[in-house]
Amino acid sequence: MSLKQTSDVLEAVERATALIGRPEALLGTADVQVALAEAREALRIRGMRPEAARRFLDTAHVTRTLQELGLTVAPAGEIEGQQCSLEVMSIGGVPAWFAATRRNANGAARMIVLPREIDDPAGADVRQKGFAALRTLGMDTGLSTITWTRRADGSVVISGVAPNPPDADVVTLMGLAHKADMYRAWANGVVNGLFAPIPRPFASGALFFPAGNGNADISARLERMRREMGDILVEARGEAGRTSIFVRHAKTSAVEHALGELAAAI
């Protein structure tokens, strides 16, 4: 991270302070984590320190840490198997909540499922080692993301660990599955150190495909799904050159079936 990025953060904080008062926390996306940490240190705002933020960006250090914990590490493009993620909310370095997704590609379509079952796809072995990795790397308070793959033989390969939330699509799925505003919950955890247990009454899923692919069939299937499955369809929208469809249901199998039906029309 360049000094300019840190100075930009400090300038933004100075302007915000003049308008609404001094902030208690600084949150941001993956590309500005070190700049945010340097600004926190300069302003004496609690949160991840620069040395910890830099450790997460040090690929060699992250790889050594994971290997010392008995995990296999490889870049995502070099691994064959079920692509997955593990999202962890930590408070003071202690895991307070987690969610996990699994992902598939079907031709032009990309699918993400957040199962209702907490052990799917991240069983206790994955969670324990993931929690240990975050603790060793210096995760304090915040929402972090671990990307990994379950190979055909059942073994696990880690492809990335980041001290920041997943992309917006996954945050949407977490909100749908838990019927909660996950951005608000994340901010409350960082600012107030509080993260109450959130029940997961639903599974959720999303299908993404290039805009213009199979629109006629997709529209027909969406209407049939509405008639047959009620409110399982949450949202369908087109933006940034793609179509996105989000579904939710109490049964993970129903979410998977609905996404499969839609993907077949593309």
Side-chain angles (χ1 to χ4, degrees), residues 159-205:
S159 56
V161 182
N164 45 266
D167 60 53
D169 294 326
V170 176
V171 177
T172 296
L173 291 180
M174 292 192 299
L176 291 174
H178 292 85
K179 295 187 69 175
D181 183 336
M182 296 307 301
Y183 286 110
R184 181 180 293 275
W186 167 43
N188 187 47
V190 173
V191 174
N192 300 315
L194 301 173
F195 198 94
I198 306 176
R200 188 183 302 167
F202 298 102
S204 60

Side-chain angles (χ1 to χ4, degrees), residues 29-139:
T29 54
D31 57 327
V32 293
Q33 288 302 311
V34 172
L36 288 173
E38 290 174 346
R40 290 189 199 103
E41 185 171 65
L43 297 169
R44 298 183 179 179
I45 294 175
R46 66 176 179 272
M48 181 176 288
R49 298 292 94 180
E51 58 273 17
R54 294 189 189 98
R55 281 198 296 269
F56 278 97
L57 292 179
D58 185 340
T59 303
H61 175 74
V62 171
T63 299
R64 286 195 304 271
T65 299
L66 297 178
Q67 290 174 337
E68 289 169 359
L69 293 170
L71 289 167
T72 304
V73 186
E78 298 179 6
I79 314 168
E80 292 186 359
Q82 175 73 68
Q83 302 293 316
C84 305
S85 71
L86 173 65
E87 289 74 37
V88 182
M89 183 69 203
S90 301
I91 302 294
V94 178
W97 172 90
F98 70 89
T101 71
R102 39 189 167 86
R103 302 145 189 247
N104 292 297
N106 183 350
R110 183 171 63 93
M111 187 184 304
I112 306 178
V113 175
L114 195 167
R116 183 177 182 181
E117 298 77 16
I118 64 171
D119 284 335
D120 180 8
D125 60 332
V126 175
R127 299 198 305 271
Q128 289 170 0
K129 290 182 179 179
F131 297 162
L134 292 172
R135 182 172 58 251
T136 304
L137 288 168
M139 188 67 197

Side-chain angles (χ1 to χ4, degrees), residues 5-26:
Q5 288 177 299
T6 303
S7 63
D8 287 345
V9 173
L10 291 170
E11 182 180 350
V13 171
E14 183 179 356
R15 292 180 180 178
T17 300
L19 292 172
I20 58 176
R22 180 181 170 84
E24 296 186 27
L26 296 176

